[in-house]
Amino acid sequence: GKDRKVRNDEAFAIMVLMALFTTFITTPIVMASYKPARPTAPYKRRTVDGGEADGELRVLACFHTNRNIPTLLNLVESSRGTGRGRLVMYAMHLVELSERSSAITLVQRARRNGMPFFNSGDKAEQMVVAFEAFQQLSSVRVRPMTAISDLDTIHRDVIDSATAKRAAIVVMPYHKMLQHDGTFQSLGSAYHAINKRVLREAPCSVAVLVDRGLGGHAQVSAKNVAFSVAALFFGGPDDREALAYATRMAEHPGVAVTLERFRPSRAQPDEEDAADEAAVEAFKSKVGMVKDGSVRFDERPAQSKAEVMEAINSLSMFSVFVVGRMPPTAPLVEKPDELGPVGSYLASPEFRTSASVLVVKRYDPAANPASKRYDPKARPPAATEEDALDELTGAAVVPVAHSQMNHDIV
C-alpha cells in the first residue's frame, strides 16, 4: 500500500506498531485467560481392603433393569459404614445399543445434553426417583451414569468408567434374573460374557451381586435397615477382600455380621495363611469392641465337601452372603460359573434361601498388568481367545492351592 501511495508514511508506521503490539501481547493474554485442566488425582485405592480408615470409598454399581435398583441401593446403604470417609456410588445403567430408533435417540440425546439420562416412560421415572430419594435419605452420594454400547464391547465402558472415577470396587449384576418361583433364568451368554470380561480386565476389585430381593422390592430407609450378613471365609486374597467388605458393613447400626471361618487342615502354613490369620484377628478384635452382639465369629473345620455344605445350609436364614470368588476349597457344585466354587452353590437351586449373594474378587495387578498402564484410547477387541475357549468348552472355575492360585481364570 505504501509503494502505490495508498497509505502515507504515518499510517504505515502505525500499522507496523499495531502488528508488533498484537504479536507480543497475545501470549500473556492467552496464558492469563486459559487455565489448563489440573492433572487428575492418582488412582491409588483399587481395593476395599488396605485403604485409609477415613478415606473415601468409591463404588461403581452397574445394573441392567430397574428390578436391580432396590437391592443395589440397600446393599450400598448397608456398606456406607460409620466413622469413616464418605461412600460415593456411581450408578451405571447398562443399555444395549441396537438398531432400534429408541436406542439411537438415546445416544443423540446424550451427546446433545452431555448429561446422564434414562429412557422416557414410567420405568425411567422410577429410576430417577429411586436415586434422588436414596441420596436425600442417606449419607451416600449418588452419581447416575448410563453406558450405551453393544453387548460385546460394553465391558469396556465399565472398565473405562471405573478408571475415570477411581473406583475401589465394581459391582456387577449376576447374568441370571430371579423368577417368581425362586429359580434363576439366564439373560443370555452375552450378559455372562460381560461379567467374565470385567472380572478379568477391571482395574480394581470386582463383586458380582446375585439379587434375591434384599430388603424386598423397595428401598429401605437408613433408620429401618435390619439385615444379617454371613461372611464365609476359607482363606486367600478374595476371601480377605470379602471380609474387608463385610467388616465395613458391620459398622452400620442396622447390620449384624457373622464371620464363619472354615479352617482347612494344612500341615505347613504359608504366607497366605499368615495374611488370613491377620485378617481374621482384625475382625475378632472388632467382635470384642461391639457389645450388642451384632458382630459374631464362628470357626468350623473344613474337612469334607459334605460338612461345608451342611454348615452353609444352616446359615440359610441370613439376608446376605459375602464370599470370595476363588477360595481354596473344592467346588460345591459340578460346574461352577464365574461365581467360583462356593458362590456358584449359593446361587444354585440346591441351596434353599432368600438371601442375596455378593461374590468378591480382589484386584491383582499381577494378573491384570494392563490396568496399571491404562490408556483410554486403546480399545482391545471385544472377544478374546479366552472368551472363545469358554464358549466352546464350557470351562468352569476350579480353585487350586494357594501357591498356584491364578485369579485371572474366568
Side-chain angles (χ1 to χ4, degrees):
K2 182 182 177 181
D3 296 339
R4 298 183 179 181
K5 308 299 181 181
V6 176
R7 297 182 178 88
N8 55 24
D9 294 340
E10 182 179 356
F12 181 76
I14 291 175
M15 294 184 64
V16 171
L17 291 175
M18 289 179 60
L20 293 175
F21 176 79
T22 303
T23 301
F24 286 107
I25 201 64
T26 299
T27 300
I29 289 178
V30 171
M31 293 181 64
S33 59
Y34 173 68
K35 302 296 183 182
R38 296 180 180 179
T40 58
Y43 189 4
K44 294 182 178 180
R45 185 170 187 179
R46 297 170 181 256
T47 61
V48 178
D49 186 20
E52 298 180 0
D54 57 349
E56 183 181 69
L57 179 65
R58 299 188 172 199
V59 178
L60 177 61
C62 304
F63 62 97
H64 295 301
T65 67
N66 61 336
R67 288 182 55 184
N68 305 129
I69 294 179
T71 294
L72 200 59
L73 294 182
N74 291 331
L75 175 68
V76 172
E77 166 61 29
S78 304
S79 312
R80 63 176 172 84
T82 56
R84 292 192 177 203
R86 57 190 175 185
L87 188 148
V88 181
M89 171 189 178
Y90 296 95
M92 174 173 281
H93 186 197
L94 304 180
V95 181
E96 180 183 5
L97 177 63
S98 65
E99 297 180 356
R100 296 178 299 177
S101 59
S102 58
I104 302 300
T105 302
L106 288 174
V107 177
Q108 294 173 347
R109 187 188 309 168
R111 292 177 177 176
R112 180 173 63 253
N113 298 336
M115 298 285 290
F117 60 90
F118 297 97
N119 275 319
S120 60
D122 295 338
K123 293 184 179 180
E125 294 298 329
Q126 293 174 6
M127 293 180 184
V128 174
V129 170
F131 288 124
E132 290 180 350
F134 177 70
Q135 186 164 237
Q136 293 176 1
L137 299 175
S138 174
S139 60
V140 178
R141 288 196 304 163
V142 181
R143 297 292 182 267
M145 306 167 61
T146 302
I148 304 178
S149 183
D150 187 88
L151 293 182
D152 288 337
T153 58
I154 201 168
H155 67 285
R156 291 305 313 174
D157 295 290
V158 176
I159 294 169
D160 295 350
S161 297
T163 303
K165 304 302 181 183
R166 304 194 306 279
I169 187 169
V170 175
V171 180
M172 295 294 297
Y174 190 40
H175 73 278
K176 296 180 180 180
M177 188 72 70
L178 183 68
Q179 304 301 305
H180 296 291
D181 59 357
T183 61
F184 283 97
Q185 182 177 359
S186 176
L187 298 175
S189 59
Y191 291 90
H192 191 190
I194 293 173
N195 286 356
K196 292 190 293 183
R197 293 164 187 163
V198 172
L199 284 165
R200 183 172 60 246
E201 302 178 25
C204 59
S205 295
V206 180
V208 179
L209 177 60
V210 181
D211 182 5
R212 285 196 177 102
L214 176 63
H217 299 290
Q219 172 205 345
V220 179
S221 61
K223 63 180 180 179
N224 294 328
V225 169
F227 300 141
S228 57
V229 179
L232 308 183
F233 190 90
F234 294 85
D238 291 350
D239 275 18
R240 293 196 296 272
E241 182 75 351
L243 179 57
Y245 196 97
T247 302
R248 186 180 182 96
M249 298 179 74
E251 297 181 3
H252 196 289
V255 178
V257 176
T258 298
L259 173 60
E260 292 285 339
R261 186 184 187 186
F262 297 86
R263 181 183 289 276
S265 56
R266 284 195 295 270
Q268 297 181 352
D270 55 13
E271 295 181 359
E272 290 290 343
D273 291 326
D276 293 342
E277 290 295 334
V280 171
E281 289 300 323
F283 182 87
K284 291 170 67 175
S285 65
K286 190 174 185 63
V287 174
M289 297 171 57
V290 179
K291 303 302 181 181
D292 59 0
S294 60
V295 181
R296 299 177 59 250
F297 171 77
D298 190 16
E299 190 170 40
R300 303 168 184 258
Q303 298 293 338
S304 65
K305 173 182 174 181
E307 292 178 348
V308 173
M309 294 177 66
E310 181 181 359
I312 294 177
N313 289 334
S314 67
L315 306 173
S316 60
M317 76 294 295
F318 281 82
S319 305
V320 185
F321 282 88
V322 182
V323 64
R325 178 175 178 253
M326 291 292 292
T329 186
L332 303 183
V333 293
E334 184 177 353
K335 293 182 178 180
D337 57 11
E338 78 269 25
L339 299 181
V342 178
S344 297
Y345 174 70
L346 296 175
S348 67
E350 289 78 10
F351 183 54
R352 300 291 184 178
T353 184
S354 60
S356 296
V357 182
L358 190 69
V359 181
V360 182
K361 175 184 181 294
R362 181 183 175 88
Y363 169 70
D364 183 7
N368 185 14
S371 64
K372 300 292 288 185
R373 51 178 186 276
Y374 170 74
D375 181 7
K377 296 182 179 180
R379 303 181 67 86
T384 64
E385 293 182 0
E386 294 184 39
D387 292 331
L389 183 61
D390 287 346
E391 294 296 333
L392 291 175
T393 63
V397 179
V398 179
V400 292
H402 276 312
S403 59
Q404 299 177 344
M405 188 175 296
N406 182 359
H407 294 279
D408 198 30
I409 299 176
V410 293

